[in-house]
Amino acid sequence: PHSAKPPHDITMSDTQPAVQSSSGGESVRQIVTAMQLLQSQKSSGDVFWDPKTNEPMGGKFSHHLGELLPRCSSPVGDDGFPEVNLETTPGIDGDDASGHKRVCIRRSGKCFETLAHAAQEVLPGDEIVLSSGMFYETEDVILDKDNVTISAAKEGEILASVRIIFSADCCLICEGSGVLVSNVTFLQLRNWNRETKSKETARAQGCIRIRDGNAQFKQCSFSSESAPAIVVSGSAHPMIEGSSISGCKKVAILCQGNSYPTFESNKIQNNMGFAISVHDESAAQFLNNTVSNTVKCAVICGGSSTALFQGNTVSDGTQGGFWIQGRSKCVLKDNIIRNNHKAALQISDHSDPHIEGNQILDGDGGGIVVHGNAKGLYIQNKLSGSVRAGIGVMDDACPLFIGNEMVSNQGGGAVMAGNSAPIFIANKLLQNGFVGLGVKEHSTPLLQDNIIVGNVGYGILLQGKSRTEVQGCTVENNRRAGLCACEEAVLRASKCLIQASTEGQQRAGLLMHDDSKAIMEKCTVLGHKTGNVVMQDHSAGSLMENELANGVIGMKMHASASATLRHNTIRDSKECNLLLLNESQIRACYNTVSGARGAGVRAIQSAACSLSHNTIVDNGEAGVRMEDAGWVELRENRVSGNGTDGIHIRSSRAKIKHNVVFGNAEVALALRGNGTSVLVGNTLVAGAAENAQALAVDANINLGGPLCSANTIQATSRAIAALSHAGVVSSNRLVKSADHCWAAVRAGLDALDASAPRQAARVLVQMPDGEMSLGEGSQAKAKKLTVGGGQGKEEAKDKVKESKKKCR
């Protein structure tokens, strides 16, 4: 053109090697550039630009051909294209001596200058042989005959180097069956628009278009600047094997219609668009290919496609590895998906893929991201080294993950958000950053039988208004907490093992903040430094049939947290089994609280506590200790074998009814400070210490009248005077002998058993004169405890009556 220079870069892919003619002439880059300039301007008389110097050469077309191709010795043909002096294919009759006819049909002996002309003359079963060189095709090459073979000729022991170059508006169209093409390079160029001074695409529809049949392409190379390199449509089912597809500006491979091609052991690399695009109902198969260095996403599957990708390596995709969309049900098995930017696998819309046995490694984005309304089955994949989360689930997606490994992903093992409802079963989430599993917004996942170990932050973190079901999971040695619920999240956990088996790891088992809620059933929570269960703010929890053991504190409650405990075992804590602070509230029944080095239950700072039908035994200090608590209700508990007092109440409002307190080291019940207490129907037996008492009351506390009645209290002669001063003697029964005391204990324990639900199991303890009922407690583990059979209420009541007669 007169007014502007054409681009200096060549229109072919820069990845294509320079290949010289057999006469030692110009490289592919220079020749193709010359061809384009000649074709577009041969009749215009315009000034030409030297492709080497990028300077105007001046003169007319015919005067400067030699400057365009300075090392090309062949003359110019009638069509304006240089006649490259290449040798003819040996062994084919009909070639003339000049070697101009280089496309030959072996059976007929006819030879042509272009493949398009040869394809028009070919018959079924014919073989087309091409000698070394480049063939510039300006019309479609149509292969509609069956069993046609196209191949490079052998020049001695060496295959000829053959390049078929299509302009942007023509291509190779394959419709016949049994077509075999081997050892040929196909290139498609873009046209130069003289008006816009840019490259343009005319009606580009692909370099190779396979519309029907089962053609095979082996050891070929494909590249297109204007359209997909290979387009498979209709019901075609070709095989492309051992080939290279590179340098494409749009899509390298496009599969559509009802096609079901097979691409095996190819190299698909350095493409500017998508490497592979599968749409409609295509069932394409991609086996053992290498897909790398793609500017867009490497692979995109849409429509209702059911493509299979197996054994491939997909790496270095600027916009990700795979994007599965539409209603695609493609299958990915045993692929290596590595070092992709953004998401390695993105699953969207209503797609429902099967993803199994893949390695998804070292991505700059996430591993698998499922969003929209997508589903999918994800089995035994390994996701490691992603900058973001190994798995992300958003929007309304509901995928199923089974047996996957998420290891060392910086943004977490798996993160769920939106209204998603994923299911995670038997997965491993190990050594991930920030969180093993994170749930936020309105997500409602089910987590079952997963192993969540060694993550840098939380094992499971719940935020927003999410609702999460956790079943049978192992949550161990995560740096912060095993399970953490914040904001308005709701957690339901059952049959989980939550433990800190390594010093300094997983400071809390269950940690609750804000207005979160939790239901925990049949879980084992062990060995946490801050507390096996820690509740703060306005969080609320319900714990049933759990074991909280070997932590510094079994359960710790702050601020305005509230909890209900039923049928739990809280044992062997280093400080306290159950600690209530501030204005927290707890209602606990049918629990066993045992073996703490400190108190069994301790409440201070206005905390409120209701304990009924609990077994509180063998703690190092008091069984129950309440100091400056808001209110305390103790009803029908067994408190025995504790290291100091059985029950110690200081400056608290307390209702203490029908408890059996015996065998503690010091005082059975101590009332101190200025609190108001109600004592009704309790059995209080002093400990074995020399100065032990059944009931110790400060001088300023008066228990006369209905506030203290129907209690059975062991009292020595020296203690009676103190009890009389407190107003206790007149309305309560005082016993002195050991026999009477133990009879009272038996009667009290049987009364506890009778008041327990009929279906409850009984827990027995070996006493000096035989086995005695301790009341209900399904997981009790006090000293010398054995589990006995159930006993009906009527039998229990009869036994209580007999015991009372003996006591009288």
Side-chain angles (χ1 to χ4, degrees), residues 455-538:
N455 297 286
V456 173
Y458 302 96
I460 300 175
L461 174 62
L462 313 179
Q463 297 175 316
K465 295 184 178 181
S466 60
R467 302 174 67 89
T468 304
E469 183 93 11
V470 183
Q471 300 176 359
C473 293
T474 297
V475 185
E476 184 176 355
N477 292 337
N478 301 285
R479 186 167 297 177
R480 294 190 178 181
L483 282 71
C484 179
C486 305
E487 299 173 8
E488 298 179 51
V490 177
L491 165 68
R492 187 181 186 98
S494 60
K495 299 180 181 179
C496 296
L497 172 62
I498 306 166
Q499 68 174 342
S501 60
T502 302
E503 185 70 25
Q505 295 294 324
Q506 199 159 295
R507 294 191 288 270
L510 170 61
L511 176 61
M512 299 182 66
H513 294 278
D514 306 321
D515 295 298
S516 60
K517 295 177 174 60
I519 299 173
M520 179 179 283
E521 300 177 298
K522 299 180 180 179
C523 294
T524 301
V525 189
L526 305 174
H528 297 90
K529 185 176 181 180
T530 301
N532 286 321
V533 176
V534 179
M535 299 178 63
Q536 302 182 127
D537 305 323
H538 292 85

Coordinates of all heavy atoms in Angstrom, one line a residue, residues 455-538:
N455 N -4.0 -28.4 58.8 CA -4.2 -27.1 58.1 C -3.7 -25.9 58.9 O -3.8 -25.9 60.1 CB -5.6 -27.0 57.7 CG -6.1 -28.1 56.7 OD1 -5.7 -28.1 55.6 ND2 -6.8 -29.0 57.3
V456 N -3.2 -24.9 58.2 CA -2.5 -23.8 58.9 C -3.5 -23.0 59.8 O -3.1 -22.6 60.8 CB -1.8 -22.9 57.9 CG1 -1.3 -21.6 58.5 CG2 -0.7 -23.6 57.1
G457 N -4.7 -22.9 59.4 CA -5.7 -22.2 60.2 C -6.7 -23.1 60.8 O -6.3 -23.9 61.7
Y458 N -7.9 -23.0 60.4 CA -9.0 -23.8 61.0 C -9.2 -25.1 60.2 O -8.9 -25.2 59.0 CB -10.3 -23.0 61.0 CG -10.3 -21.7 61.7 CD1 -10.0 -20.5 61.0 CD2 -10.4 -21.6 63.1 CE1 -9.9 -19.3 61.7 CE2 -10.4 -20.4 63.8 CZ -10.1 -19.3 63.1 OH -10.1 -18.1 63.7
G459 N -9.7 -26.1 60.9 CA -10.0 -27.3 60.2 C -11.3 -27.1 59.4 O -11.3 -27.2 58.1
I460 N -12.4 -26.7 60.0 CA -13.6 -26.3 59.3 C -14.0 -24.9 59.9 O -14.2 -24.8 61.1 CB -14.7 -27.3 59.6 CG1 -14.3 -28.7 59.1 CG2 -16.0 -26.9 58.9 CD1 -15.3 -29.8 59.4
L461 N -14.2 -24.0 59.0 CA -14.6 -22.6 59.4 C -16.0 -22.3 58.7 O -16.1 -22.4 57.5 CB -13.6 -21.6 58.9 CG -13.9 -20.1 59.1 CD1 -14.1 -19.8 60.6 CD2 -12.9 -19.2 58.5
L462 N -17.0 -21.9 59.6 CA -18.3 -21.6 59.1 C -18.6 -20.1 59.3 O -18.4 -19.6 60.4 CB -19.3 -22.5 59.8 CG -19.0 -24.0 60.0 CD1 -20.1 -24.7 60.7 CD2 -18.8 -24.6 58.6
Q463 N -19.1 -19.4 58.3 CA -19.4 -18.0 58.4 C -20.7 -17.7 57.8 O -21.4 -18.6 57.2 CB -18.3 -17.2 57.7 CG -16.9 -17.4 58.3 CD -15.9 -16.7 57.5 OE1 -15.9 -16.7 56.2 NE2 -15.0 -15.9 58.1
G464 N -21.1 -16.4 57.9 CA -22.4 -16.0 57.2 C -23.6 -16.7 57.8 O -23.7 -16.9 59.0
K465 N -24.5 -17.1 57.0 CA -25.7 -17.8 57.4 C -25.7 -19.2 56.9 O -26.7 -19.8 56.6 CB -27.0 -17.1 56.9 CG -27.2 -15.7 57.5 CD -28.5 -15.1 57.1 CE -28.6 -13.7 57.7 NZ -29.9 -13.1 57.3
S466 N -24.5 -19.8 56.7 CA -24.4 -21.1 56.2 C -24.9 -22.1 57.2 O -25.0 -21.9 58.4 CB -22.9 -21.4 56.0 OG -22.1 -21.3 57.2
R467 N -25.3 -23.3 56.7 CA -25.8 -24.4 57.5 C -25.0 -25.7 57.1 O -25.2 -26.1 55.9 CB -27.3 -24.6 57.4 CG -28.1 -23.4 57.7 CD -29.6 -23.6 57.4 NE -30.1 -24.6 58.3 CZ -30.7 -24.4 59.5 NH1 -30.7 -23.1 59.9 NH2 -31.2 -25.3 60.2
T468 N -24.2 -26.2 58.0 CA -23.3 -27.3 57.6 C -23.5 -28.5 58.4 O -23.7 -28.5 59.7 CB -21.8 -26.8 57.8 OG1 -21.6 -25.6 57.1 CG2 -20.9 -27.9 57.3
E469 N -23.6 -29.7 57.7 CA -23.7 -31.0 58.4 C -22.4 -31.7 58.3 O -21.8 -31.9 57.2 CB -24.8 -31.8 57.7 CG -25.1 -33.1 58.3 CD -26.2 -33.1 59.3 OE1 -26.9 -32.1 59.3 OE2 -26.4 -34.1 60.0
V470 N -21.8 -32.1 59.5 CA -20.5 -32.7 59.5 C -20.7 -34.1 60.2 O -21.1 -34.2 61.3 CB -19.5 -31.9 60.3 CG1 -18.1 -32.6 60.3 CG2 -19.4 -30.5 59.7
Q471 N -20.4 -35.2 59.4 CA -20.7 -36.5 60.0 C -19.4 -37.4 59.8 O -18.8 -37.4 58.7 CB -21.8 -37.2 59.2 CG -23.1 -36.5 59.3 CD -24.2 -37.2 58.4 OE1 -23.9 -38.1 57.7 NE2 -25.4 -36.6 58.4
G472 N -19.0 -38.0 60.9 CA -17.9 -38.9 60.9 C -16.6 -38.4 60.4 O -15.8 -39.2 59.9
C473 N -16.3 -37.2 60.5 CA -15.1 -36.6 60.1 C -14.0 -36.7 61.2 O -14.3 -36.6 62.4 CB -15.3 -35.1 59.6 SG -16.3 -34.9 58.2
T474 N -12.7 -36.7 60.7 CA -11.6 -36.6 61.6 C -11.0 -35.3 61.4 O -10.5 -34.9 60.3 CB -10.6 -37.7 61.3 OG1 -11.1 -39.0 61.6 CG2 -9.3 -37.6 62.2
V475 N -11.0 -34.5 62.5 CA -10.4 -33.1 62.4 C -9.3 -33.0 63.5 O -9.6 -33.0 64.7 CB -11.5 -32.1 62.7 CG1 -11.0 -30.7 62.5 CG2 -12.7 -32.3 61.8
E476 N -8.1 -32.9 63.0 CA -6.9 -33.1 63.9 C -5.8 -32.2 63.6 O -5.4 -32.0 62.4 CB -6.5 -34.6 63.8 CG -5.4 -35.0 64.7 CD -5.0 -36.5 64.7 OE1 -5.7 -37.2 63.9 OE2 -4.1 -36.9 65.3
N477 N -5.2 -31.6 64.6 CA -3.9 -30.9 64.6 C -3.9 -29.8 63.6 O -2.9 -29.5 62.9 CB -2.8 -31.9 64.2 CG -2.5 -32.8 65.4 OD1 -2.8 -32.6 66.5 ND2 -1.9 -33.9 65.0
N478 N -5.1 -29.1 63.4 CA -5.1 -27.9 62.7 C -4.6 -26.7 63.6 O -4.9 -26.8 64.8 CB -6.5 -27.6 62.1 CG -7.0 -28.7 61.2 OD1 -6.5 -28.9 60.1 ND2 -7.8 -29.6 61.7
R479 N -4.0 -25.7 63.1 CA -3.3 -24.8 63.9 C -4.2 -24.0 64.9 O -3.9 -23.8 66.0 CB -2.5 -23.8 63.1 CG -1.6 -22.9 63.9 CD -0.5 -22.2 63.0 NE 0.4 -23.2 62.4 CZ 1.3 -22.8 61.6 NH1 1.5 -21.6 61.2 NH2 2.1 -23.8 61.0
R480 N -5.4 -23.5 64.4 CA -6.2 -22.7 65.3 C -7.3 -23.5 66.0 O -7.2 -23.7 67.2 CB -6.8 -21.6 64.4 CG -5.8 -20.6 63.9 CD -6.5 -19.4 63.3 NE -5.5 -18.4 62.8 CZ -5.8 -17.3 62.2 NH1 -7.0 -16.9 62.1 NH2 -4.8 -16.5 61.8
A481 N -8.3 -23.9 65.3 CA -9.4 -24.7 65.9 C -9.8 -25.8 65.0 O -9.7 -25.7 63.7 CB -10.5 -23.8 66.3
G482 N -10.4 -26.9 65.5 CA -10.9 -27.9 64.7 C -12.1 -27.5 63.9 O -12.1 -27.5 62.7
L483 N -13.1 -27.0 64.6 CA -14.4 -26.5 64.0 C -14.6 -25.1 64.6 O -14.5 -24.9 65.8 CB -15.6 -27.3 64.3 CG -15.8 -28.6 63.5 CD1 -14.8 -29.7 63.9 CD2 -17.2 -29.2 63.7
C484 N -14.9 -24.1 63.7 CA -15.1 -22.8 64.2 C -16.4 -22.3 63.5 O -16.5 -22.3 62.2 CB -13.9 -21.9 63.9 SG -14.2 -20.1 64.4
A485 N -17.4 -21.8 64.3 CA -18.6 -21.2 63.7 C -18.7 -19.7 64.1 O -18.5 -19.4 65.3 CB -19.8 -22.0 64.2
C486 N -18.9 -18.9 63.1 CA -19.0 -17.4 63.4 C -20.3 -16.9 62.8 O -21.1 -17.6 62.1 CB -17.8 -16.7 62.7 SG -16.2 -17.3 63.1
E487 N -20.5 -15.6 63.1 CA -21.7 -14.9 62.6 C -23.0 -15.6 62.9 O -23.2 -15.9 64.0 CB -21.5 -14.6 61.1 CG -20.2 -13.7 60.9 CD -19.8 -13.5 59.4 OE1 -20.6 -13.9 58.5 OE2 -18.8 -13.0 59.1
E488 N -23.8 -16.0 61.9 CA -25.0 -16.7 62.1 C -25.0 -18.1 61.6 O -26.0 -18.7 61.2 CB -26.2 -15.9 61.5 CG -26.4 -14.5 62.1 CD -27.5 -13.7 61.4 OE1 -28.6 -14.3 61.3 OE2 -27.3 -12.6 61.0
A489 N -23.8 -18.6 61.4 CA -23.6 -20.0 60.9 C -24.3 -21.0 61.8 O -24.3 -20.8 63.1 CB -22.2 -20.3 60.7
V490 N -24.7 -22.1 61.2 CA -25.3 -23.2 62.0 C -24.5 -24.5 61.7 O -24.3 -24.8 60.5 CB -26.8 -23.4 61.6 CG1 -27.4 -24.6 62.4 CG2 -27.6 -22.2 62.0
L491 N -24.1 -25.2 62.7 CA -23.3 -26.4 62.6 C -24.1 -27.6 63.2 O -24.6 -27.4 64.3 CB -22.0 -26.3 63.2 CG -21.2 -27.6 63.5 CD1 -20.7 -28.2 62.2 CD2 -20.0 -27.3 64.4
R492 N -24.1 -28.7 62.5 CA -24.6 -29.9 63.1 C -23.5 -31.0 62.9 O -23.2 -31.4 61.7 CB -25.9 -30.4 62.5 CG -26.5 -31.6 63.2 CD -27.8 -32.1 62.5 NE -28.4 -33.1 63.3 CZ -29.4 -33.0 64.2 NH1 -29.9 -31.8 64.4 NH2 -29.9 -34.0 64.9
A493 N -22.9 -31.4 63.9 CA -21.8 -32.4 63.8 C -22.1 -33.7 64.6 O -22.7 -33.6 65.7 CB -20.5 -31.8 64.5
S494 N -21.8 -34.8 64.0 CA -22.1 -36.1 64.6 C -21.0 -37.1 64.3 O -20.5 -37.1 63.2 CB -23.5 -36.6 64.1 OG -23.5 -36.8 62.7
K495 N -20.7 -37.9 65.3 CA -19.8 -39.0 65.2 C -18.4 -38.6 64.6 O -17.7 -39.3 63.9 CB -20.4 -40.1 64.3 CG -21.6 -40.7 64.9 CD -22.2 -41.8 64.0 CE -23.5 -42.3 64.6 NZ -24.1 -43.4 63.7
C496 N -17.9 -37.4 65.0 CA -16.6 -36.9 64.5 C -15.6 -37.1 65.6 O -15.9 -37.1 66.8 CB -16.7 -35.4 64.2 SG -17.9 -35.0 62.9
L497 N -14.3 -37.3 65.2 CA -13.2 -37.3 66.0 C -12.5 -35.9 65.9 O -12.0 -35.6 64.8 CB -12.2 -38.4 65.7 CG -10.9 -38.4 66.4 CD1 -11.1 -38.5 68.0 CD2 -10.0 -39.5 65.9
I498 N -12.4 -35.1 66.9 CA -11.8 -33.8 66.9 C -10.7 -33.8 67.9 O -11.0 -33.8 69.1 CB -12.8 -32.7 67.1 CG1 -14.0 -32.9 66.1 CG2 -12.2 -31.3 67.0 CD1 -15.2 -32.1 66.5
Q499 N -9.4 -33.8 67.6 CA -8.4 -33.9 68.6 C -7.1 -33.2 68.2 O -6.8 -32.9 67.1 CB -8.1 -35.4 68.8 CG -7.4 -36.1 67.7 CD -6.9 -37.5 68.1 OE1 -6.9 -37.8 69.2 NE2 -6.7 -38.3 67.1
A500 N -6.4 -32.8 69.3 CA -5.1 -32.2 69.1 C -4.1 -33.2 69.7 O -3.9 -33.3 70.9 CB -5.0 -30.9 69.9
S501 N -3.5 -34.0 68.8 CA -2.6 -35.0 69.3 C -1.1 -34.5 69.3 O -0.2 -35.2 69.8 CB -2.7 -36.3 68.4 OG -2.4 -35.9 67.1
T502 N -0.9 -33.3 68.8 CA 0.5 -32.7 68.7 C 0.5 -31.5 69.6 O -0.4 -30.7 69.5 CB 0.9 -32.4 67.3 OG1 0.8 -33.6 66.5 CG2 2.3 -31.8 67.2
E503 N 1.5 -31.3 70.4 CA 1.6 -30.1 71.3 C 1.6 -28.9 70.4 O 2.3 -28.7 69.4 CB 2.9 -30.2 72.1 CG 3.1 -29.2 73.1 CD 2.1 -29.3 74.3 OE1 1.7 -30.4 74.5 OE2 1.8 -28.3 74.9
G504 N 0.8 -27.9 70.9 CA 0.7 -26.6 70.2 C -0.2 -26.5 69.0 O -0.3 -25.4 68.4
Q505 N -0.8 -27.6 68.6 CA -1.7 -27.6 67.5 C -3.2 -27.6 67.9 O -3.5 -28.1 69.0 CB -1.4 -28.8 66.5 CG -0.1 -28.8 65.9 CD 0.1 -27.6 64.9 OE1 -0.8 -27.2 64.2 NE2 1.3 -27.1 64.9
Q506 N -4.0 -27.0 67.1 CA -5.5 -27.0 67.3 C -5.8 -26.7 68.7 O -6.2 -27.5 69.6 CB -6.0 -28.4 66.9 CG -7.5 -28.4 66.7 CD -8.0 -29.6 65.8 OE1 -7.6 -29.7 64.7 NE2 -8.8 -30.4 66.4
R507 N -5.8 -25.4 69.0 CA -6.0 -24.9 70.4 C -7.4 -25.2 70.9 O -7.6 -25.3 72.1 CB -5.7 -23.4 70.4 CG -4.2 -23.1 70.2 CD -3.9 -21.7 70.5 NE -4.4 -20.7 69.5 CZ -3.8 -20.3 68.4 NH1 -2.6 -20.8 68.1 NH2 -4.4 -19.5 67.6
A508 N -8.4 -25.2 70.0 CA -9.8 -25.5 70.5 C -10.4 -26.6 69.5 O -10.1 -26.6 68.3 CB -10.6 -24.3 70.5
G509 N -11.2 -27.4 70.1 CA -11.9 -28.4 69.3 C -13.1 -27.8 68.5 O -13.1 -27.7 67.3
L510 N -14.1 -27.3 69.3 CA -15.2 -26.5 68.7 C -15.1 -25.1 69.3 O -15.2 -24.9 70.5 CB -16.5 -27.2 69.0 CG -17.8 -26.3 68.7 CD1 -17.8 -26.1 67.2 CD2 -19.0 -27.0 69.2
L511 N -15.0 -24.1 68.4 CA -14.9 -22.7 68.8 C -16.1 -22.0 68.2 O -16.3 -22.0 66.9 CB -13.6 -22.1 68.3 CG -13.4 -20.6 68.6 CD1 -13.4 -20.3 70.1 CD2 -12.1 -20.1 68.0
M512 N -16.9 -21.3 69.0 CA -18.1 -20.6 68.5 C -18.1 -19.1 68.9 O -17.8 -18.8 70.0 CB -19.4 -21.3 69.1 CG -19.5 -22.7 68.7 SD -21.0 -23.5 69.4 CE -22.2 -22.6 68.4
H513 N -18.4 -18.3 67.9 CA -18.5 -16.8 68.1 C -19.8 -16.3 67.7 O -20.7 -17.0 67.1 CB -17.4 -16.2 67.2 CG -16.0 -16.5 67.5 ND1 -15.3 -15.8 68.5 CD2 -15.1 -17.4 67.0 CE1 -14.1 -16.3 68.5 NE2 -13.9 -17.2 67.6
D514 N -20.0 -15.0 68.0 CA -21.2 -14.2 67.5 C -22.5 -14.9 67.8 O -22.7 -15.3 68.9 CB -21.0 -14.0 66.0 CG -19.6 -13.4 65.6 OD1 -19.2 -12.5 66.4 OD2 -19.1 -13.8 64.6
D515 N -23.4 -15.0 66.8 CA -24.7 -15.6 67.0 C -24.8 -17.0 66.4 O -25.9 -17.5 66.0 CB -25.8 -14.7 66.4 CG -25.9 -13.4 67.1 OD1 -26.2 -13.4 68.3 OD2 -25.6 -12.4 66.5
S516 N -23.7 -17.7 66.3 CA -23.6 -19.0 65.7 C -24.3 -20.0 66.6 O -24.5 -19.8 67.8 CB -22.2 -19.4 65.4 OG -21.5 -19.5 66.6
K517 N -24.8 -21.1 65.9 CA -25.4 -22.2 66.6 C -24.8 -23.5 66.2 O -24.4 -23.7 65.1 CB -26.9 -22.2 66.3 CG -27.7 -21.0 66.8 CD -29.1 -21.0 66.4 CE -29.9 -19.8 67.1 NZ -29.3 -18.5 66.7
A518 N -24.8 -24.5 67.2 CA -24.2 -25.8 66.9 C -25.0 -26.9 67.6 O -25.5 -26.7 68.8 CB -22.8 -25.8 67.3
I519 N -25.1 -28.0 66.9 CA -25.7 -29.2 67.5 C -24.6 -30.3 67.3 O -24.2 -30.6 66.2 CB -27.0 -29.7 66.9 CG1 -28.0 -28.6 67.1 CG2 -27.4 -31.0 67.5 CD1 -29.3 -28.9 66.3
M520 N -24.1 -30.8 68.4 CA -23.0 -31.8 68.3 C -23.4 -33.1 69.0 O -23.9 -33.1 70.2 CB -21.7 -31.3 69.0 CG -20.6 -32.2 69.0 SD -19.1 -31.6 69.8 CE -18.5 -30.5 68.5
E521 N -23.4 -34.2 68.3 CA -23.9 -35.5 68.8 C -22.8 -36.6 68.6 O -22.2 -36.7 67.5 CB -25.1 -35.9 68.0 CG -26.3 -34.9 68.2 CD -27.5 -35.4 67.3 OE1 -27.3 -35.5 66.1 OE2 -28.5 -35.6 67.9
K522 N -22.6 -37.3 69.6 CA -21.7 -38.5 69.5 C -20.3 -38.3 69.0 O -19.8 -39.1 68.3 CB -22.4 -39.6 68.7 CG -23.8 -40.0 69.3 CD -24.4 -41.1 68.5 CE -25.8 -41.5 69.1 NZ -26.5 -42.5 68.3
C523 N -19.8 -37.1 69.3 CA -18.4 -36.8 68.8 C -17.4 -37.0 70.0 O -17.8 -37.0 71.1 CB -18.4 -35.3 68.4 SG -19.3 -34.9 67.0
T524 N -16.2 -37.2 69.6 CA -15.1 -37.4 70.5 C -14.2 -36.2 70.3 O -13.6 -36.0 69.2 CB -14.3 -38.7 70.3 OG1 -15.2 -39.8 70.5 CG2 -13.2 -38.8 71.4
V525 N -14.0 -35.4 71.4 CA -13.2 -34.2 71.3 C -12.1 -34.2 72.4 O -12.4 -34.3 73.6 CB -14.1 -32.9 71.5 CG1 -13.3 -31.6 71.2 CG2 -15.3 -33.0 70.6
L526 N -10.8 -34.3 71.9 CA -9.8 -34.6 72.8 C -8.6 -33.6 72.8 O -8.2 -33.2 71.7 CB -9.2 -36.0 72.5 CG -10.2 -37.2 72.4 CD1 -9.5 -38.4 71.9 CD2 -10.8 -37.4 73.8
G527 N -8.0 -33.3 74.0 CA -6.7 -32.8 74.1 C -6.4 -31.4 73.7 O -5.3 -31.1 73.3
H528 N -7.4 -30.5 73.7 CA -7.2 -29.1 73.3 C -6.7 -28.2 74.4 O -7.2 -28.2 75.5 CB -8.5 -28.6 72.6 CG -8.8 -29.4 71.4 ND1 -9.7 -30.5 71.5 CD2 -8.5 -29.3 70.1 CE1 -9.8 -31.0 70.3 NE2 -9.1 -30.3 69.4
K529 N -5.8 -27.3 74.0 CA -5.2 -26.4 75.0 C -6.1 -25.3 75.6 O -6.2 -25.1 76.7 CB -3.9 -25.8 74.4 CG -3.1 -24.9 75.4 CD -1.9 -24.5 74.7 CE -1.0 -23.6 75.7 NZ 0.2 -23.2 75.0
T530 N -6.8 -24.7 74.7 CA -7.8 -23.6 75.1 C -9.0 -24.2 75.7 O -9.6 -23.7 76.7 CB -8.1 -22.7 74.0 OG1 -6.9 -22.1 73.5 CG2 -9.1 -21.6 74.4
G531 N -9.5 -25.3 75.1 CA -10.7 -26.0 75.5 C -11.2 -26.9 74.4 O -11.1 -26.6 73.2
N532 N -11.8 -28.0 74.8 CA -12.3 -28.9 73.8 C -13.5 -28.2 73.2 O -13.7 -28.4 71.9 CB -12.7 -30.2 74.5 CG -11.5 -31.1 74.8 OD1 -10.6 -31.1 74.0 ND2 -11.6 -31.7 76.0
V533 N -14.3 -27.5 73.9 CA -15.4 -26.7 73.4 C -15.3 -25.4 74.0 O -15.3 -25.2 75.2 CB -16.8 -27.4 73.6 CG1 -17.9 -26.5 73.1 CG2 -16.9 -28.8 73.0
V534 N -15.3 -24.3 73.2 CA -15.2 -22.9 73.6 C -16.4 -22.2 73.0 O -16.4 -22.1 71.7 CB -13.9 -22.3 73.3 CG1 -13.8 -20.9 73.8 CG2 -12.8 -23.1 74.0
M535 N -17.2 -21.6 73.8 CA -18.4 -20.8 73.3 C -18.3 -19.4 73.8 O -18.0 -19.1 75.0 CB -19.7 -21.4 73.7 CG -19.8 -22.9 73.2 SD -21.4 -23.6 73.7 CE -22.6 -22.6 72.9
Q536 N -18.5 -18.4 72.9 CA -18.3 -17.0 73.2 C -19.5 -16.2 72.6 O -20.4 -16.7 71.9 CB -17.0 -16.4 72.6 CG -15.8 -17.1 73.1 CD -14.5 -16.6 72.6 OE1 -13.6 -16.2 73.3 NE2 -14.4 -16.4 71.3
D537 N -19.6 -14.9 73.0 CA -20.6 -14.0 72.5 C -22.0 -14.5 72.8 O -22.3 -14.9 73.9 CB -20.3 -13.7 71.0 CG -18.9 -13.2 70.8 OD1 -18.4 -12.5 71.6 OD2 -18.3 -13.6 69.7
H538 N -22.8 -14.5 71.8 CA -24.2 -15.0 71.9 C -24.4 -16.4 71.3 O -25.5 -16.7 70.9 CB -25.2 -14.0 71.3 CG -25.3 -12.7 72.1 ND1 -24.4 -11.6 71.8 CD2 -26.1 -12.3 73.1 CE1 -24.7 -10.7 72.7 NE2 -25.7 -11.0 73.4

